[in-house]
Amino acid sequence: MDLLFSLRAAPAWFLVLPDTDAAAPAARAALPHTTCRLHHPSGRPWLIGRWAPGTATYGGRGRARIVVIGEHAVSPGEAERAAALADSPAALDRRAATWPGSYHLVSTAAGQIRVRSGAIGVRRVHHARTAAGGEAVTLASDRADILADLTGAPLDERRLAVELLSPDMPHPLSGQGLWRGVHTVASGHALTLAPGQAARETRWWSPPASEVPLSVGAAALREALGAAVRVRAQGRDLVTADLGGLDSTAVCCTAVRCGTPVVAYTAAQHDALGDDVHWARRTVAALGAVAAAAGGSPPEHHVVPAGAVPMTYDGLDTLDDVLDGPSAITVDRNRRMYLLELAAARGSRLHLSGLGGDELLAGTPARLHALLPGHPAAALGRLRGYTAKYRWPRQRVLRAMCDRRGYGSWLRRAAGHLTEAPPAADEPLLDWAVPPRMPPWASTDAVAAVRELLRAQAPSARPLGRGHGEHRELAAMASLSRTARSIDQICAARGMTFAAPYYDDQVVEACLAVAPQERITPWRYKPLIVEAMRGTVPDTVRARATKANATFEEEAGLRAHRAGLLALCEESRLARLGLIDARALRAWCARPLSAELESGLLHPTVACEVWLRSRQTAPAPAGP
């Protein structure tokens, strides 16, 4: 495989180089594959790569300079004023806190370079060291595979084994790189590079205290989500948007009220209980009346027939997307991309999504652990409600609420149960996370490697947040942010941005600041977004309390595309690495599977197998 595979093929990326001659070999290797270049005051390359026109804003003041890359509306003048603060990271962060959108912030001052990741993880930062002429130098990038290309870093098979876990990888293993020597900066942290010094990570963001009333939080969310959508939509000829559940409806309606022409897409479902089309049509009808009263035009709405949308597992043996890691989107890739390709054909360069709203707005009952000491009546009332709603066994609920063991203890227990059957469907959602499981076809060596890594992390591991609930919410958002990044990487090859405004820093803060006893309840469906969207989402739709799922599409997809699934078992790359037993996987794929209970074990394995194959399928070069 070409060592410069991703440099040639990835449609969008950036590389940060320190101001030293030791970075020259990396610059020489990367520059032929770039379209955008910025330089240090010395003239050496500083920030190079590929990024779409209009997505990067540069500002300089003296020898200090900053670049903002991503979805934002920072003007050159504002960037120049902010560059004056580059030698004070805290002051620069305070300034950037007023900028809506989703972006990387790269600054240099006094010989130090700082690269800031996002609060949640849509905007990731990676770093790796390489030696040239005896001097080691640290490089940084938004894509891990770019650094692996430049440094010749080998794949870490033990870390790839972690990707096989279902339903998800636990923190902190979920944030670690797939190549030896390539490291990922934790969400909410910044990377600092200085000559002659090791790379340093510092925290710049922490979740806010959860204490404001629902009414205050709703106003803050309305303002933050409005700014997040406006900064992306304003000034465009049109934007496209999902129009399905309540979360995407809120984003779509916000975009319509910005005044930008909106083209909305709703995918019909085979399941008769899937009611997205019904609610979408009611939304468009109501918005049409609002637009007519204001002298504008209603949103253009397309309902895509269920039979036109690819099923789950479609095309698995032909995918060749250039992603920097396995992705949960893989099994649904063609299904998800069908609407996005329609949007691109319509002329869209920006697609708005409601991705992330579930984890952020509904919250988790695990918050009741922290609520119980200060608000026992509220906590116990909600606990009874969730127990009845989800039919949780009361003894297990009591046992979970009385479990005061820390996160490290949970990791050790998880390591010991990797090969057991998945937790029962009625297991209370009150622990640090759903206990991860290795699939039945995982090799003995793969299981042993994951178990060893989990146990090694346990003594020093700290949860992402304060208590079970905050950790669980942040971990879920980190997982979904990886999916959002993957979809955006796929869309970049089509000249389109996939936007997930619910994961903008200000939107996340507005939601997490609300007191859990008001945001999280078994008796109301996402009360925070319902209150925030008063006057934005039509009242006939705002109180919707249903959510469609794609279980039918998964089960039908398993039957329709079993041949493609079985084709992945032939000459399996995972089997070559000694991570799975291909015969056991083939036997599993050949038998009937329950979409609700069993096929989820397949998703991570399919994602890893497809990703490994795509690394050996070089697409056409993306340009000089």
Side-chain angles (χ1 to χ4, degrees), residues 486-539:
S486 298
I487 298 174
D488 191 42
Q489 288 176 358
I490 298 171
C491 286
R494 291 152 180 79
M496 185 165 60
T497 295
F498 177 83
Y502 281 111
Y503 281 161
D504 286 10
D505 299 346
Q506 294 94 333
V507 176
V508 170
E509 288 181 349
C511 294
L512 295 184
V514 177
Q517 63 268 32
E518 298 199 48
R519 178 168 66 97
I520 302 166
T521 169
W523 300 297
R524 293 185 65 190
Y525 185 67
K526 299 180 181 178
L528 180 57
I529 194 67
V530 170
E531 295 303 319
M533 289 297 103
R534 286 187 184 275
T536 300
V537 173
D539 286 341

Side-chain angles (χ1 to χ4, degrees), residues 426-440:
D426 62 353
E427 185 68 23
L429 304 176
L430 298 169
D431 211 339
W432 290 101
V434 176
R437 297 290 189 260
M438 291 292 279

Side-chain angles (χ1 to χ4, degrees), residues 386-582:
Y386 280 117
T387 300
K389 181 176 182 178
Y390 297 121
R391 299 181 180 179
W392 291 340
R394 293 183 180 180
Q395 286 187 335
R396 285 192 226 161
V397 169
L398 180 62
R399 185 164 58 247
M401 289 300 293
C402 293
D403 190 347
R404 315 311 296 173
R405 289 175 291 182
Y407 186 65
S409 174
W410 180 85
L411 278 179
R412 283 190 292 271
R413 298 198 309 274
H417 301 298
L418 290 177
T419 57
E420 294 183 4
D426 62 353
E427 185 68 23
L429 304 176
L430 298 169
D431 211 339
W432 290 101
V434 176
R437 297 290 189 260
M438 291 292 279
W441 49 86
S443 69
T444 302
D445 288 344
V447 173
V450 174
R451 182 170 287 132
E452 182 180 345
L453 289 170
L454 285 170
R455 287 172 174 165
Q457 294 287 345
S460 59
R462 298 292 179 270
L464 289 169
R466 296 157 293 206
H468 297 69
E470 190 168 83
H471 167 83
R472 193 160 182 152
E473 289 176 2
L474 291 172
M477 286 186 270
S479 177
L480 263 291
S481 71
R482 292 181 67 197
T483 301
R485 287 183 68 247
S486 298
I487 298 174
D488 191 42
Q489 288 176 358
I490 298 171
C491 286
R494 291 152 180 79
M496 185 165 60
T497 295
F498 177 83
Y502 281 111
Y503 281 161
D504 286 10
D505 299 346
Q506 294 94 333
V507 176
V508 170
E509 288 181 349
C511 294
L512 295 184
V514 177
Q517 63 268 32
E518 298 199 48
R519 178 168 66 97
I520 302 166
T521 169
W523 300 297
R524 293 185 65 190
Y525 185 67
K526 299 180 181 178
L528 180 57
I529 194 67
V530 170
E531 295 303 319
M533 289 297 103
R534 286 187 184 275
T536 300
V537 173
D539 286 341
T540 57
V541 179
R542 193 170 50 86
R544 175 186 178 184
T546 60
K547 179 178 174 62
N549 66 53
T551 299
F552 179 93
E553 280 72 12
E554 168 114 4
E555 292 181 342
L558 274 168
R559 293 192 296 270
H561 303 298
R562 194 181 301 275
L565 197 56
L566 291 170
L568 292 182
C569 302
E570 303 303 322
E571 300 183 3
S572 166
R573 276 59 169 178
L574 287 169
R576 289 180 190 175
L577 294 173
L579 298 178
I580 69 166
D581 179 339

